[in-house]
Amino acid sequence: MSSTPSPSLRLLSVIPPMTQLNTPYPSTAYLTGFLRSRGFDAQQEDLALALVLKLFSRGGLERLLAICEAQKKHGARVRSFLAQSGRYLATVEAVIAFLQGRDATLAHRINTRQFLPEGPRFESLEAYVDEEGGDPLAWAFGALGLQDRARHLATLYLNDLADVLRDAVDPRFEFVRYAEQLATSQPSFDPLAEALAAPANWVDETLHALTVEALERHRPDVLLLSVPFPGAVYAALRIAQAAHALRPGLKIVLGGGFVNTELRELSEARLFDFVDYVTLDAGERPLLALLEHLAGKRSQPRLVRTFIRDAESGEVKYINFVEPDVPFAEVGTPTWDGLPLDRYLSLLDMLNPMNRLWSDGRWNKLTVAHGCYWKKCSFCDISLDYISRYDAASAELLVDRIETVVAETGQTGFHFVDEAAPPKSLKALATELQKRGTAISWWGNVRFEKTFTPELCQHLADSGCIAISGGLEVASDRLLNLMQKGVSVEQVARVTKAFSDAGILVHAYLMYGFPTQTVQDTVDALEYVRQLFENGCIQGGFFHRFACTVHSPVGLNPQDYGVQLLPLPDSPFAKNDVGFIDPTGVDHDQLGVALKKAIYNFMHGIGLEEDVRSWFNFRVPKPTVSRHRIAKALASPA
């Protein structure tokens, strides 16, 4: 099979709004690095960051102010903005520069609480005022913590402005989940089609202008739109809409995580009014085949994992000429060349030291291996390529990539974004890092399995590991067995304690609403979680509601989990989440409110001595778990 590059093809990979603001989403860096390794002229742009910086500039706020003033009715957030508009206009450029790390001394003025206008988001600080009416943030930052305190206040300021934009301009606007309801498990393309046909609002106009600028700057022949989440679909298609209007001959390719999970049975022809090709799963092989096709070196029937709209029938066709995927060892090193690394915003939404890692600081994102080595969890999309095809690379190659990235970016922080990084690979990586004397800071996602002994955890810490996240899911041995997690609650306690004792922060992914989960199971799970915090095993956590997907074992074999799936409507567009009937009849949404409130407080060291039933505003059963179960497990030999 040929992979000879075509010098005439110029490629542009784009990150559409919204993903994250503190660091580039890695998909374009991966693709650009791979394509350049094969000789292609490949560039990349982050239009998500560009859009935010344009909206939240002085010129942007002047436009926002004019829009607000032209409206007859104003909510509380818009009224607050109008009353303090002069101060917002005077401070927004300085705040953005501060969050970008370009003006650290501004922290002193921000911390006076006299410099920034304060809107409704600042009301959250009142919850932290001590009994003497003192500094509401002293508990979090003490007398020091100057930069962190100011960054938290600046983040509240930015969130206030986002709320105003949402109320006055676009109710779908979010910094991460922008208009995601138009695409999430959406069986019909109608909502997206209607939104894309509607008159452009200010956000749309701004994105259009940024798209035109990027296309004029790079003049690509092929535009690659990487859509990792439903919250990036609407903006991606707005970009495609603008690109086709400006450059009718431009070929536009849609791919990414959203496509890989939700568009696998695509038959919606209207999508191809915006894009020309839709590719599934790891993008390297489909892109090589497509680029050969566009260069006249491969026929259309030999495309790989690609949807097209047939020119004659107008119907969507899926073409998959089977070829092996590019091995993980041969995908090349990601490159961030072309992305404005000094313009990303380090935000501080959560004061918890573990949770802040997702929004604070610029991390180089790499993978230790493709796929998941475990691939058994019953709630996971284990039938899909991003989980099922496990492919690792040597520690030597990984450290080569790390050193190349550090030399390019000047940044030594790494986030390994594996579904679950293999313990054996992490051990080898840590050994190689120390052998070479390569000093980095890193964190990533693992399974809390017994392979992570205290000795291994310390070895990882010595290599630069600062934090670990992993799935505890439901803290119930019965449900963990049903999930096929391959761990027990006591094992998780020992492993997380080993990480913590090595100085590594630990975040637990938690779940509620799993099939057959009872109220008693939920109360017991919260008691286990309380004890894990109390005993210093974990420092962060998040409860999310279980969602059954059509690609998971629960979705594929519901009878094995005691549930009945609800029939799905005809779905020419997105298909992922599927409803189900659980015979327990538990109101998990009601329980979820208490779970989220409890863990938020646990992460801030609050309420760890209280009976977990106190977090529920309705009657729940007493935990069946001893209040010292975790402490006893930690004290006893494994």
Side-chain angles (χ1 to χ4, degrees):
M1 65 197 73
S2 170
S3 60
T4 304
S6 173
S8 62
L9 285 179
R10 294 187 300 275
L11 313 174
L12 176 62
S13 298
V14 167
I15 304 172
M18 292 292 183
T19 48
Q20 58 190 125
L21 298 179
N22 63 305
T23 198
Y25 191 79
S27 56
T28 65
Y30 291 173
L31 283 177
T32 304
F34 169 71
L35 290 168
R36 288 185 182 180
S37 75
R38 297 301 178 101
F40 288 97
D41 179 358
Q43 307 297 329
Q44 58 188 326
E45 286 271 352
D46 188 343
L47 292 188
L49 176 68
L51 178 64
V52 168
L53 296 181
K54 185 67 88 173
L55 295 175
F56 298 99
S57 63
R58 183 181 178 96
L61 291 200
E62 288 173 346
R63 178 72 183 276
L64 179 59
L65 176 60
I67 292 171
C68 292
E69 289 177 336
Q71 295 173 343
K72 295 180 179 179
K73 292 185 178 181
H74 303 122
R77 294 184 288 204
V78 174
R79 288 197 300 270
S80 174
F81 170 68
L82 289 171
Q84 305 181 85
S85 58
R87 293 180 65 197
Y88 277 111
L89 291 173
T91 54
V92 65
E93 302 276 4
V95 169
I96 292 296
F98 171 72
L99 290 172
Q100 290 172 331
R102 296 190 287 115
D103 190 4
T105 59
L106 190 66
H108 296 276
R109 288 202 70 188
I110 292 174
N111 286 334
T112 65
R113 300 287 299 278
Q114 302 299 313
F115 178 62
L116 298 182
E118 297 188 358
R121 289 280 187 153
F122 284 78
E123 294 172 4
S124 63
L125 299 180
E126 295 176 6
Y128 302 128
V129 176
D130 59 33
E131 294 179 358
E132 288 75 33
D135 180 0
L137 294 177
W139 69 273
F141 303 117
L144 301 175
L146 175 78
Q147 294 292 321
D148 284 351
R149 181 193 303 247
R151 199 148 66 246
H152 182 58
L153 295 172
T155 301
L156 294 176
Y157 166 99
L158 203 60
N159 286 335
D160 267 328
L161 288 174
D163 291 342
V164 174
L165 192 153
R166 188 179 311 113
D167 288 353
V169 180
D170 190 341
R172 305 163 303 192
F173 184 82
E174 298 277 354
F175 279 136
V176 177
R177 298 179 175 90
Y178 179 32
E180 72 171 359
Q181 70 275 15
L182 297 176
T184 304
S185 295
Q186 182 59 256
S188 172
F189 191 69
D190 288 349
L192 267 169
E194 291 168 8
L196 292 163
N201 61 37
W202 172 48
V203 178
D204 297 327
E205 292 169 356
T206 305
L207 181 58
H208 182 280
L210 291 168
T211 301
V212 170
E213 291 173 10
L215 293 177
E216 292 292 347
R217 186 161 49 247
H218 299 289
R219 304 198 65 79
D221 301 296
V222 181
L223 177 63
L224 307 176
L225 295 174
S226 179
V227 181
F229 315 116
V233 175
Y234 170 74
L237 296 185
R238 277 290 189 186
I239 291 168
Q241 195 176 46
H244 267 322
L246 181 69
R247 302 269 304 281
L250 179 66
K251 298 301 181 183
I252 302 179
V253 187
L254 187 70
F258 168 80
V259 175
N260 299 340
T261 54
E262 304 216 15
L263 300 189
R264 303 194 72 84
E265 299 178 25
L266 179 67
S267 61
E268 175 55 76
R270 288 176 294 173
L271 178 60
F272 293 87
D273 293 338
F274 302 89
V275 303
D276 300 287
Y277 303 95
V278 177
T279 65
L280 290 183
D281 300 329
E284 293 87 3
R285 180 59 67 196
L287 273 179
L288 287 181
L290 176 58
L291 295 175
E292 288 179 10
H293 169 63
L294 295 177
K297 300 176 180 178
R298 177 185 285 246
S299 64
Q300 188 182 82
R302 296 180 68 241
L303 291 176
V304 177
R305 294 197 302 270
T306 301
F307 288 101
I308 64 166
R309 181 166 60 185
D310 185 74
E312 295 182 3
S313 68
E315 296 181 351
V316 176
K317 289 177 57 179
Y318 180 61
I319 304 172
N320 186 18
F321 183 80
V322 178
E323 290 185 0
D325 276 291
V326 176
F328 182 64
E330 298 175 16
V331 297
T333 301
T335 178
W336 283 264
D337 177 50
L339 299 178
L341 300 183
D342 59 342
R343 300 187 71 200
Y344 286 85
L345 306 173
S346 282
L347 305 178
L348 192 49
D349 284 301
M350 287 284 289
L351 304 183
N352 177 273
M354 177 71 214
N355 284 50
R356 66 183 289 175
L357 293 177
W358 276 273
S359 65
D360 181 24
R362 207 205 67 71
W363 302 96
N364 299 309
K365 293 180 181 283
L366 288 180
T367 46
V368 174
H370 179 280
C372 178
Y373 69 98
W374 179 250
K375 52 190 172 191
K376 295 180 183 178
C377 299
S378 56
F379 54 83
C380 191
D381 292 338
I382 62 173
S383 63
L384 300 187
D385 175 81
Y386 80 98
I387 298 291
S388 64
R389 182 171 61 86
Y390 177 67
D391 184 11
S394 69
E396 292 79 10
L397 179 58
L398 290 173
V399 178
D400 286 346
R401 289 176 178 173
I402 287 169
E403 291 179 339
T404 299
V405 170
V406 171
E408 177 189 292
T409 66
Q411 301 282 340
T412 60
F414 285 81
H415 179 195
F416 296 125
V417 292
D418 302 69
E419 296 299 317
K424 182 179 179 181
S425 295
L426 288 180
K427 181 179 181 180
L429 175 64
T431 300
E432 185 67 17
L433 286 168
Q434 293 178 76
K435 174 184 173 183
R436 298 194 197 183
T438 302
I440 65 169
S441 301
W442 63 270
W443 58 294
N445 198 52
V446 301
R447 290 181 62 250
F448 293 132
E449 60 172 78
K450 59 185 179 182
T451 310
F452 289 109
T453 62
E455 294 76 20
L456 178 54
C457 292
Q458 187 60 57
H459 183 52
L460 299 181
D462 292 342
S463 75
C465 181
I466 59 168
I468 284 294
S469 57
L472 171 54
E473 318 310 347
V474 178
S476 157
D477 286 337
R478 177 184 74 83
L479 291 172
L480 287 172
N481 286 331
L482 186 61
M483 291 178 177
Q484 297 190 55
K485 281 292 293 185
V487 300
S488 68
V489 176
E490 291 191 359
Q491 177 183 311
V492 169
R494 293 188 184 97
V495 170
T496 53
K497 184 65 168 144
F499 278 119
S500 294
D501 286 349
I504 297 171
L505 295 170
V506 181
H507 177 93
Y509 293 114
L510 303 160
M511 183 184 294
Y512 64 99
F514 193 75
T516 74
Q517 183 175 354
T518 65
V519 173
Q520 185 69 66
D521 288 329
T522 303
V523 173
D524 287 351
L526 185 58
E527 172 60 22
Y528 274 126
V529 171
R530 182 196 69 79
Q531 293 184 37
L532 290 171
F533 275 101
E534 182 182 47
N535 287 277
C537 297
I538 61 178
Q539 291 74 44
F542 184 79
F543 273 106
H544 64 95
R545 174 72 186 267
F546 168 74
C548 180
T549 71
V550 295
H551 313 294
S552 69
V554 177
L556 294 170
N557 304 291
Q559 68 282 354
D560 294 346
Y561 302 89
V563 297
Q564 179 182 346
L565 299 186
L566 297 174
L568 285 169
D570 290 336
S571 182
F573 188 54
K575 181 180 179 181
N576 191 40
D577 293 358
V578 55
F580 61 93
I581 299 171
D582 188 331
T584 62
V586 173
D587 185 347
H588 294 292
D589 288 336
Q590 188 181 34
L591 292 168
V593 173
L595 296 174
K596 292 175 181 179
K597 181 179 179 181
I599 199 162
Y600 180 86
N601 282 274
F602 292 168
M603 287 192 293
H604 295 96
I606 300 169
L608 291 174
E609 301 300 323
E610 296 181 15
D611 188 317
V612 294
R613 289 176 292 177
S614 66
W615 298 108
F616 299 88
N617 59 8
F618 52 93
R619 195 173 178 83
V620 295
K622 180 181 180 180
T624 61
V625 180
S626 162
R627 283 183 65 85
H628 306 291
R629 172 79 176 272
I630 295 298
K632 290 179 180 177
L634 294 174
S636 63

